[in-house]
Amino acid sequence: MRRGRFAPSPTGELHIGNAFTAVMAWLQMRSVGGGFVLRMEDIDEARCRSDYAAQVMEDLRWLGLDWDEGPDVGGAHGPYQQRQRLPEYEAALRQLQGAGQLYPCFCSRAELVQVASAPHDLFADEPRYSGRCRHLTPVERVSRAEHKRPSLRFSVPDREVIVRDLLFGETRVNPADGGDFIVRRADGVFAYQLAVVVDDAAMAVTDVLRGADLFSSAPRQISLYRALGQEPPTFTHVPLVLDAQGRRLSKRNRSNAVRAMRESGVAAEEIIGVIAYLARLSDSIRPASLSELVERFDLRRLPKRPVQMDESSMRRLKMTESARAAN
Ligand code: GLU
């Protein structure tokens, strides 16, 4: 059976862009009779809040989504909050360590910023790690560790992987072009890349649908799946939602939040209607129910570029422009 998931990080309120992704992930599974899992990616305690986690779940339910497994309903592959899954991440690290695929990195933030950017377009927006600490001798590692707690990096195998994406087709990439990445930070927090792979594998997720901003993570995650002896999922990277000015939605503008819309009297069907319009599942903006969209869902209609809200959908959702809201 196909299994999908929505994996929000509870760092703020659910905004219309997050809701768009959640609805697409839910429709993708419900339209084929697949299972759907909700997982709270609350591993970074400094950034995540449990009141946001509760609120995100409530907003998703209010929109009409349901899940077969999740933090509040349990399930056979739990726990469904990353904070409670630390032993699983430890075990994965031990496995990678045992295979000689991890090394401690002592580089400072300043040293990391100096490195040249990655050669591959896909990784162009982030500095590529030079691999400086990869070749330290055991003696050097011990002496450095006396002064600094290291992060742990994954030695990315220099081997091409194929990202299978239901919207973008197949992309061949060598994840080593992006450099070795961190799997546990110096402060001990497990990195997103590791946690997400361990969780999706443990939760038997066959389909990862998420925002297109995470596309460059897919090759890295595939190399981790391989290193852990797991089969990677099929990906679907859906467009990001932009405001009427073409900017990414900001969590700081409260009017982007589903909760704010609800409080100003906007009905869930209005929000679902705008989402369906943005996803090209309807040709006009009108209230819609999730059950009618299940019938009509067709991934091939989804645009590959970011989708932009227009004035009329913003008005329907009682959204205000960021500039005005910031004052
Ligand atoms: N927790 C991530 C986020 O909220 C999503 C991770 C994923 O879908 O792979 O951006």
Side-chain angles (χ1 to χ4, degrees), residues 70-140:
D72 52 343
V73 295
H77 305 78
Y80 297 91
Q81 281 157 278
Q82 289 192 327
R83 222 169 264 192
Q84 293 172 11
R85 302 182 54 78
L86 307 188
E88 336 279 326
Y89 310 139
E90 290 286 359
L93 280 192
R94 277 196 302 275
Q95 190 181 339
L96 296 172
Q97 191 103 52
Q101 289 183 286
L102 298 185
Y103 62 88
C105 172
F106 299 91
C107 292
S108 65
R109 199 175 290 265
E111 286 165 329
L112 293 178
V113 173
Q114 282 167 12
V115 299
S117 67
H120 195 287
D121 280 355
L122 197 58
F123 304 111
D125 55 349
E126 41 196 297
R128 177 188 197 275
Y129 182 60
S130 63
R132 199 160 172 241
C133 289
R134 195 175 188 170
H135 306 291
L136 293 179
T137 64
V139 175
E140 284 171 322

Side-chain angles (χ1 to χ4, degrees), residues 239-255:
L240 296 181
V241 178
L242 307 179
D243 67 13
Q245 280 70 42
R247 292 175 299 213
R248 267 183 83 163
L249 296 176
S250 152
K251 282 197 174 171
R252 275 180 316 207
N253 177 359
R254 214 192 151 233
S255 84

Side-chain angles (χ1 to χ4, degrees), residues 5 7-9 39 41 192 196 200 208-210 213-214 221:
R5 48 65 158 189
S9 306
R39 177 174 71 240
E41 302 216 317
Y192 156 71
V196 79
D200 283 330
V208 167
L209 183 150
R210 61 190 177 193
D213 53 335
L214 288 169
Q221 290 169 7

